[in-house]
Amino acid sequence: METVPRNKELRWDTLLTLEEQYAALSELVPVYQKAFAGYPWYEVSKCNCVRGYSRQKVGEICTGNPDDAGDTGCGVLLSEEAYPRDELLPELEQRVRDNPSLVYVERDEDGQAVMGAIAYPAAAKDVYQKKYEDKGRGSETIETAFSRLPEKIIWLDEIFADLERRPSGNLSNFEMICTMMSSQLGNQIIAFRTMNEGLIAKSQSALEARCAVEWFDDPGVPGKRSALVVINLNQ
């Protein structure tokens, strides 16, 4: 484990052993839950909508998105959180078991985790198959976007923050995170998918010409566009 005190408000850890990663992932579960309950995902509970998630809380009726007249919800009584701890933690642990991953954690001045990221080396075609094709979300547009990637990449599988605990500044170290991941995992090409326009804007402003963004319609996220972001640290 590498721990570097940046200032009294922040320290970051890069975790490479499974034992360290499991401990960090347990700590990051509530950060993940809060992150994806907010903008732009609003995944608060499970429902029968196409995406499988509702912005309404457990105990309420899924009524869709009040800002989108076409999203009226599925009308079910919501009974389960979007990401229950007993499901989310084993899933995250499985990901780092299946891939030689790097887990990144940022903490505030109280030592509380406020941001996390998971990245691992991967073949671009395997990422497309696992993240899209195997889940019935593949399309010619998305496949073409992935086909433009080099054969081997670093896949930034997750990056998320608790905006309740730290409303701003969560991406202030983004360039450093990318450089550190590249050094630790031995590849200059980092790619990730997102529909978070703030993350895309930060990637472009911090990395400028080294960052390329390709938007596409994602069948798994009706009414919203996703982006494939590619960072080339060779440039």
Side-chain angles (χ1 to χ4, degrees):
M1 179 177 70
E2 179 182 1
T3 304
V4 179
R6 304 275 292 183
N7 52 49
K8 71 174 185 177
E9 288 82 23
L10 172 67
R11 74 177 192 272
W12 55 269
D13 301 329
T14 58
L15 307 163
L16 298 174
T17 72
L18 273 178
E19 182 180 355
E20 292 172 338
Q21 290 176 353
Y22 287 168
L25 292 172
S26 179
E27 186 180 3
L28 285 170
V29 163
V31 180
Y32 189 104
Q33 292 168 324
K34 290 180 180 178
F36 286 92
Y39 174 86
W41 303 277
Y42 300 112
E43 295 171 351
V44 177
S45 55
K46 293 181 181 179
C47 69
N48 294 331
C49 293
V50 174
R51 285 187 62 205
Y53 299 105
S54 173
R55 64 172 54 202
Q56 282 78 45
K57 298 177 182 179
V58 169
E60 298 179 350
I61 300 294
C62 178
T63 56
N65 182 356
D67 299 322
D68 182 355
D71 181 2
T72 57
C74 59
V76 303
L77 177 64
L78 302 166
S79 60
E80 189 174 2
E81 294 177 346
Y83 298 104
R85 182 182 181 87
D86 60 355
E87 293 180 8
L88 177 58
L89 182 56
E91 178 190 339
L92 294 176
E93 290 176 340
Q94 185 67 50
R95 291 193 214 177
V96 300
R97 274 198 302 273
D98 290 345
N99 304 283
S101 303
L102 182 149
V103 176
Y104 173 89
V105 185
E106 279 188 6
R107 294 180 175 85
D108 62 16
E109 60 183 347
D110 298 323
Q112 183 83 23
V114 291
M115 177 181 169
I118 302 171
Y120 51 81
K125 65 178 182 179
D126 292 342
V127 173
Y128 171 73
Q129 180 178 343
K130 291 178 182 178
K131 298 294 183 180
Y132 288 95
E133 197 167 50
D134 289 354
K135 296 183 178 182
R137 295 171 61 177
S139 72
E140 184 176 350
T141 302
I142 303 173
E143 185 175 15
T144 299
F146 273 85
S147 72
R148 296 193 183 103
L149 295 175
E151 180 181 359
K152 298 293 185 180
I153 61 173
I154 293 173
W155 181 248
L156 180 53
D157 195 44
E158 300 282 2
I159 183 165
F160 51 90
D162 181 350
L163 298 184
E164 292 182 11
R165 191 165 183 90
R166 190 171 69 180
S168 62
N170 291 293
L171 293 172
S172 60
N173 288 327
F174 186 70
E175 183 176 7
M176 180 273 293
I177 293 171
C178 292
T179 302
M180 174 268 298
M181 287 180 174
S182 175
S183 175
Q184 295 275 15
L185 297 176
N187 196 313
Q188 298 292 303
I189 308 297
I190 301 170
F192 61 93
R193 64 174 182 182
T194 187
M195 59 182 189
N196 185 337
E197 295 181 4
L199 175 55
I200 294 168
K202 181 63 177 182
S203 302
Q204 292 175 312
S205 64
L207 296 152
E208 298 179 336
R210 293 177 290 172
C211 176
V213 178
E214 184 166 357
W215 289 93
F216 54 81
D217 293 320
D218 185 340
V221 191
K224 291 184 179 292
R225 302 194 76 199
S226 292
L228 179 65
V229 180
V230 182
I231 297 165
N232 185 348
L233 296 178
N234 283 318
Q235 295 182 346

